[in-house]
Amino acid sequence: MRTRLKTALGLLLTGIMLFPVYWMLNVSLTRDQDMRKSPPDLFPSHVTLEGYRAVLDQQLPYLGTSLVIGLGTVALTVALAAPAGYALAKLRPRGGGIMSFVLLAAQMIPGIIMAMGFYAIYLQLGLLQTVPGLIVADSTLAVPFAVLIFTAFMSAIPGELLQAAKTDGAGPLRTFWSIVLPMSRNAVVTVSLFAFLWSWSDFIFASTLAGGGAHEPITLGIYHYIGNNNQQWNAIMATAVVASLPATVILVLAQRYVAAGVTAGAVKD
């Protein structure tokens, strides 16, 4: 009986948490004239695909830009964080503890403050409203978290493997590339997933550093639908549905790697 109650409670809570997702899908299929009905329809009485047509006609460039920014952020984050995590975990540099604390503190800096700093720097460098500028900015959100994940994961790699590689003549770089990085696949997937999701959903950096430019991400594409006198809610929700699909698919495919990556280093033998 208790098991059934727990199951029912779990299903109820899951339904409550997923209701906004259902409502997003419902509104994306609802006609404009049915938006203000009271009470609103739990199911669209007259299904329309106008919102999805708007996505195909207007939002594909924004989606393409977000994909480029997301993949670029993943590549830059892994390229910077993996060697840093290896150094902190295995090479034990001086000031490693202080560096870990600084990385932890860096995650507490509000994004708007960082955005203002980037704006001043990019204005001088001519990087405003550019894709590389957004990639660098989004990476600053992911790199501190990524270094901590890599450090925790790589700390659990047996030292005997690294000693054996050193005995065979491999230097630190060769050991990292040939042994440590392949063994850190779960951490790489975890870091890549979070870096992609952060860049894909970013609005603060996008609106501050890329607003009005030729290359805007999907978050600004959705924002352009909202005006003072016009809110195209079915187009907004249809765009949100389409924009959620890549992240959802990636999360489903990578969930087992993420579960292993985020718990790495939590238990020591």
Side-chain angles (χ1 to χ4, degrees):
M1 186 63 180
R2 293 183 61 184
T3 302
R4 292 181 180 179
L5 289 175
K6 290 180 180 179
T7 301
L9 180 60
L11 291 175
L12 177 61
L13 294 176
T14 301
I16 293 174
M17 290 187 292
L18 292 180
F19 182 78
V21 178
Y22 164 73
W23 197 251
M24 178 176 67
L25 181 61
N26 179 32
V27 174
S28 72
L29 298 172
T30 301
R31 299 183 304 176
D32 288 335
Q33 55 267 41
D34 296 333
M35 291 289 178
R36 301 185 183 277
K37 291 179 65 176
S38 183
D41 294 326
L42 290 177
F43 303 94
S45 55
H46 300 88
V47 175
T48 179
L49 296 177
E50 287 300 321
Y52 292 94
R53 293 192 184 97
V55 173
L56 295 177
D57 293 339
Q58 304 168 19
Q59 297 294 336
L60 290 183
Y62 298 101
L63 287 167
T65 300
S66 283
L67 183 61
V68 172
I69 293 172
L71 295 178
T73 301
V74 168
L76 182 58
T77 298
V78 173
L80 294 176
Y86 169 60
L88 291 175
K90 294 300 183 183
L91 301 184
R92 309 292 183 181
R94 287 185 177 181
I98 297 176
M99 179 61 66
S100 298
F101 175 78
V102 170
L103 291 171
L104 186 62
Q107 299 182 78
M108 304 177 187
I109 301 176
I112 188 61
I113 294 178
M114 297 179 64
M116 292 297 100
F118 274 117
Y119 184 88
I121 295 172
Y122 285 3
L123 187 62
Q124 299 295 324
L125 298 178
L127 288 175
L128 285 177
Q129 301 178 345
T130 64
V131 171
L134 274 181
I135 290 175
V136 172
D138 287 334
S139 296
T140 60
L141 295 176
V143 166
F145 169 81
V147 173
L148 295 177
I149 289 293
F150 276 122
T151 301
F153 193 94
M154 293 175 179
S155 295
I157 296 177
E160 291 80 3
L161 290 176
L162 307 186
Q163 187 62 41
K166 184 177 181 179
T167 302
D168 290 340
L173 183 60
R174 179 63 183 274
T175 301
F176 166 74
W177 183 258
S178 300
I179 297 178
V180 175
L181 195 59
M183 294 184 65
S184 304
R185 180 181 61 177
N186 292 340
V188 171
V189 174
T190 301
V191 165
S192 299
L193 176 63
F194 281 98
F196 182 85
L197 292 179
W198 280 330
S199 64
W200 186 266
S201 61
D202 169 64
F203 180 77
I204 294 178
F205 286 152
S207 59
T208 305
L209 306 177
H215 305 287
E216 295 181 330
I218 189 60
T219 48
L220 292 187
I222 297 175
Y223 183 69
H224 289 331
Y225 278 129
I226 304 176
N228 291 330
N229 301 310
N230 181 37
Q231 290 84 30
Q232 303 176 48
W233 289 112
N234 56 359
I236 293 172
M237 294 303 177
T239 305
V241 170
V242 174
S244 300
L245 291 178
T248 302
V249 171
I250 292 173
L251 183 59
V252 170
L253 294 178
Q255 59 180 339
R256 65 189 182 96
Y257 299 104
V258 173
V262 296
T263 57
V267 178
K268 297 290 186 179
D269 292 335

